Amino acid sequence: MENILLVVNLVLAVILVLLILVQKSEGGALGIGVSQDNFMLSRSAGNFMSKATAVVATLFIICSLALTIISRGELTPTSSVLDNIEEKSSDTPSIPEN
């Protein structure tokens, strides 16, 4: 199950990066060479791309959280690090004072 989620997470990450790179920039400097003739078409395409990016990003976060929950469940020790430090300090013999 964990391997399947890991593969899905990697695929979603690649798709998310590609969706972000394909989107048209809102700034003027990176949009060089794009004419304003296709303004209405670029607006609808941008709207679709932004919605697709939001959906893929949501799926990526959900998949990442699921991977974290699954991997946490496999850990056997449930004690805290502070409990381990307290146990080690109580196990060491104290040095008598003179």
Side-chain angles (χ1 to χ4, degrees), residues 4 6-7 20 42 44 46 58 63 65 77 85 96:
I4 294 171
L6 187 60
V7 169
I20 290 171
S42 65
S44 63
T58 304
C63 189
L65 288 173
I85 292 173

Side-chain angles (χ1 to χ4, degrees), residues 48-90:
F48 169 75
M49 294 295 279
S50 61
K51 286 182 181 181
T53 303
V55 168
V56 172
T58 304
L59 291 174
F60 177 76
I61 291 173
I62 290 171
C63 189
S64 298
L65 288 173
L67 273 170
T68 304
I69 292 169
I70 288 174
S71 66
R72 249 191 116 149
E74 293 178 2
L75 298 176
T76 54
T78 58
S79 62
S80 171
V81 174
L82 295 175
D83 294 337
N84 292 338
I85 292 173
E86 290 174 0
E87 288 176 8
K88 287 183 181 181
S89 65
S90 64

Side-chain angles (χ1 to χ4, degrees), residues 2-21:
E2 187 174 356
N3 290 335
I4 294 171
L5 278 178
L6 187 60
V7 169
V8 170
N9 203 15
L10 288 173
V11 169
L12 286 174
V14 170
I15 292 172
L16 186 61
V17 167
L18 291 176
L19 278 174
I20 290 171
L21 289 176

